[in-house]
Amino acid sequence: MRTRKAITALSLTVALSGSGLVAVAGTAQAADSRCYITASAAKLRSKATTNSTALAVVYKSNRCSLKDLNANGTWAKLRMTTGNAKGKTGWVRSDLVHLPAVDTCTPPC
């Protein structure tokens, strides 16, 4: 039984190392946080609400780095890496951004 667990753990490690995912305490997370804007234009906001101050307007294909998601995943906190808002950090509705895939499944799934 101990050998089977060791082989399973080794197989999981090998599978994850080639997939771009990193195992962390029983979960898998995206190893890279690159993202990009998919809407023709979107407002980069100071808070995760449409009532907050617009810091900038970001445009389709502008690249970003994912910093955080709000509790229900409807807003993404981004640091812009290209475009007119390069270097700025703020919130954009997550349906306007292509986010990196994050697998949070803990086996057995």
Side-chain angles (χ1 to χ4, degrees):
M1 187 60 128
R2 185 178 291 186
T3 303
R4 176 180 264 172
K5 285 182 182 180
I7 291 172
T8 301
L10 180 60
S11 298
L12 178 61
T13 302
V14 170
L16 288 175
S17 66
S19 69
L21 298 174
V22 179
V24 179
T27 64
Q29 299 176 349
D32 96 50
S33 60
R34 292 179 292 182
C35 56
Y36 57 89
I37 305 299
T38 56
S40 58
K43 291 182 180 178
L44 186 70
R45 297 190 173 272
S46 60
K47 297 180 183 176
T49 174
T50 55
N51 295 328
S52 66
T53 304
L55 304 172
V57 176
V58 294
Y59 298 97
K60 188 170 188 162
S61 300
N62 284 173
R63 303 228 173 252
C64 51
S65 177
L66 177 65
K67 296 300 178 190
D68 198 6
L69 288 172
N70 69 337
N72 58 8
T74 55
W75 289 84
K77 187 173 187 179
L78 310 174
R79 178 164 174 77
M80 301 306 300
T81 57
T82 65
N84 61 309
K86 182 177 180 178
K88 291 187 179 182
T89 300
W91 294 87
V92 175
R93 277 191 7 231
S94 59
D95 62 322
L96 305 177
V97 182
H98 179 269
L99 300 171
V102 177
D103 182 3
T104 57
C105 176
T106 303
C109 298

